[in-house]
Amino acid sequence: MAKKLIVNCATCDARTMQEENYAHYETIVINSAALLTSPEGKAVMSKLPVTLNCATVLEVARDVHLRAINGKHEIHDSDAVSSAPYYLMVNGVLTIHPHTQKQLEHCVGITVNGTLTCPESMYATLADINVNGATTCYPDGAIVLKRSAVIDKVFALRAKNSLYWSARRMIMVDPQLDGASLRSKGASFRSKEVIVAQSKAGELVDLIDEQAQLILVPDHTAVVLDDITLDESTVGRYGKKLYVIGDVTVPQQNAALEGLEYLNVQGDIKVPQEHKDQLLSVLTEVSGAVKVTQPKGTVVEDKPYVKITKWMLEQQPKGILVSDCAFVHIADDIPREWIMERLHIEDCAVVQCCEALEDAVAMVCEDVAQVGRADHMDGGSIGDTIKAALGGIKGALDTKVINATQYVL
């Protein structure tokens, strides 16, 4: 029988925990975002070898129903009204719509591990609310749109005499968007930022809340809400004017930059050295960093152990990319210049090299946990690392591990 219990979950309910079910464990470790307990549950845990690693510990009566939701959840005034007390736990995004006081009447508490959006007037009335994340309150009476809301010709046809609100941004670049129609219908807009085509700014600006950041882009600019690879197919799909909210990767073989007329990147850019100058000549703005990528002649990935030798780099003048490997050993006889020019290492746990190469290796590593000599690392050599891993197998056989989204003890 297992002597150790490890519970990994988003929500752990220990309100009805029974001592006799867990008394045989030598250690009990609970790793969770939220732990629900009760006076009875706390009394039981105090008698057991329990270790808690929890962001939030909540005391909730045993007879209160737990509603645990993972992902997005919305509360509307058309939802059924509960007649029994309940506690709402949301691991994700919770949106509370207006006039939902009846739906929340029997809610004794709310915990949101993520983001909460609700009307301004309702926030102060919410009972026992705990938000581990961001809270956004929108104006009472406003119509809530998506976080990145597109205001186009079709939207204008359906617009009402109302304030429209978006938590993040609104996009107004459709050439056929009729500002006069929006004005005649009494529509107005509020968001943190609004992206507007230059020719539409005059007819739309007084419909937009003055506290919003106004971003003007050239006419016929496509706003892309995702990471992209800047190749000919991307330009063919979106056009020659791009406002990218995400990261951009310029591939090794690239002809798309030649015809590009406008490029604004709200993110990072990865570009080969030979295309960097051409990119900078068309780049209007970048909010992140412009990173020069190493040539990728060969990719070595998903290996527990790999050794990079001088011969390997001799055979690959275009370079080697080492990715997603647990342990990488760099041979001592590799010239520092070759490491800088031909090697790139990313998403690896440990990279081992001699002291003379340590600074060069560190410069070509990205998202690597540990770089350096074996005697400077915990665990020493690869043999020591493997020995430690094998030594842990026996302990694993004595341990019961539970991985769950929600778990009741």
Side-chain angles (χ1 to χ4, degrees):
M1 182 177 291
K3 299 178 181 179
K4 302 176 183 178
L5 173 64
I6 300 175
V7 178
N8 303 311
C9 59
T11 304
C12 182
D13 190 347
R15 293 177 295 169
T16 58
M17 189 175 188
Q18 300 296 317
E19 181 181 358
E20 58 269 24
N21 295 335
Y22 300 92
H24 62 278
Y25 288 111
E26 295 178 358
T27 61
I28 301 171
V29 179
I30 301 173
N31 303 309
S32 67
L35 174 75
L36 270 67
T37 186
S38 62
E40 298 87 349
K42 289 168 66 175
V44 171
M45 283 193 289
S46 67
K47 300 176 184 178
L48 296 170
V50 177
T51 300
L52 299 178
N53 300 310
C54 306
T56 306
V57 178
L58 305 165
E59 186 168 324
V60 180
R62 296 177 64 171
D63 59 346
V64 172
H65 175 63
L66 173 64
R67 293 185 184 178
I69 296 163
N70 298 298
K72 295 182 180 179
H73 182 60
E74 298 187 14
I75 300 176
H76 298 269
D77 59 0
S78 58
D79 293 347
V81 177
S82 174
S83 59
Y86 68 93
Y87 194 97
L88 180 62
M89 176 80 65
V90 178
N91 297 305
V93 179
L94 173 61
T95 301
I96 300 175
H97 290 276
H99 314 300
T100 52
Q101 286 84 350
K102 287 187 177 180
Q103 282 70 25
L104 295 168
E105 184 178 358
H106 292 284
C107 181
V108 300
I110 301 174
T111 292
V112 180
N113 297 307
T115 59
L116 168 68
T117 302
C118 68
E120 292 175 345
S121 63
M122 285 192 63
Y123 181 74
T125 66
L126 296 175
D128 191 19
I129 186 164
N130 180 40
V131 181
N132 299 310
T135 299
T136 304
C137 297
Y138 60 86
D140 290 275
I143 297 176
V144 179
L145 304 177
K146 294 181 179 179
R147 283 183 58 83
S148 293
V150 177
I151 312 300
D152 55 11
K153 176 185 176 181
V154 176
F155 181 95
L157 293 174
R158 304 171 62 185
K160 301 175 182 179
N161 180 15
S162 180
L163 171 64
Y164 289 90
W165 179 87
S166 173
R168 186 65 186 90
R169 67 176 60 86
M170 293 182 178
I171 302 167
M172 303 179 176
V173 296
D174 184 356
Q176 300 183 59
L177 176 60
D178 189 348
S181 175
L182 291 172
R183 186 189 315 279
S184 65
K185 293 182 177 182
S188 58
F189 304 92
R190 183 182 296 184
S191 188
K192 289 183 178 180
E193 68 179 33
V194 182
I195 305 170
V196 184
Q198 288 177 341
S199 65
K200 297 292 180 180
E203 59 184 286
L204 293 171
V205 67
D206 60 343
L207 303 181
I208 300 169
D209 181 73
E210 60 184 15
Q211 295 183 353
Q213 179 187 5
L214 201 62
I215 301 171
L216 299 181
V217 297
D219 290 357
H220 305 290
T221 294
V223 179
V224 185
L225 302 170
D226 201 356
D227 299 339
I228 64 168
T229 298
L230 191 55
D231 53 20
E232 291 178 315
S233 64
T234 299
V235 174
R237 178 181 179 184
Y238 294 110
K240 299 180 179 180
K241 301 176 183 179
L242 299 174
Y243 187 99
V244 183
I245 303 173
D247 295 336
V248 172
T249 300
V250 179
Q252 198 77 30
Q253 304 297 326
N254 188 281
L257 287 171
E258 297 178 2
L260 213 59
E261 298 177 9
Y262 174 81
L263 179 62
N264 190 318
V265 180
Q266 300 302 302
D268 294 333
I269 302 176
K270 291 184 177 180
V271 58
Q273 181 64 53
E274 59 266 33
H275 295 312
K276 184 178 179 181
D277 291 341
Q278 189 179 11
L279 169 73
L280 295 177
S281 69
V282 299
L283 183 62
T284 302
E285 181 184 337
V286 57
S287 67
V290 177
K291 303 177 181 179
V292 175
T293 57
Q294 297 290 332
K296 298 180 182 179
T298 295
V299 178
V300 179
E301 59 184 347
D302 298 324
K303 294 183 180 297
Y305 172 75
V306 61
K307 181 176 181 179
I308 302 299
T309 65
K310 182 179 179 180
W311 179 86
M312 293 168 69
L313 293 179
E314 283 179 336
Q315 303 304 309
Q316 295 295 333
K318 290 187 177 181
I320 297 176
L321 169 65
V322 183
S323 176
D324 295 312
C325 295
F327 192 99
V328 182
H329 180 80
I330 309 296
D332 297 348
D333 61 343
I334 300 177
R336 292 161 56 88
E337 295 76 14
W338 284 16
I339 291 176
M340 295 295 297
E341 295 171 0
R342 304 186 185 184
L343 183 62
H344 187 72
I345 303 171
E346 62 183 33
D347 298 320
C348 296
V350 176
V351 178
Q352 187 184 94
C353 63
C354 65
E355 186 175 9
L357 299 177
E358 192 170 332
D359 53 353
V361 171
M363 291 184 68
V364 300
C365 288
E366 182 178 353
D367 295 325
V368 171
Q370 203 169 14
V371 179
R373 305 197 328 253
D375 58 351
H376 283 188
M377 295 185 180
D378 296 334
S381 68
I382 182 62
D384 294 331
T385 303
I386 294 174
K387 184 186 295 184
L390 293 175
I393 292 178
K394 182 179 183 299
L397 296 175
D398 293 333
T399 303
K400 180 179 181 181
V401 180
I402 298 172
N403 298 310
T405 301
Q406 179 182 347
Y407 189 73
V408 179
L409 289 170

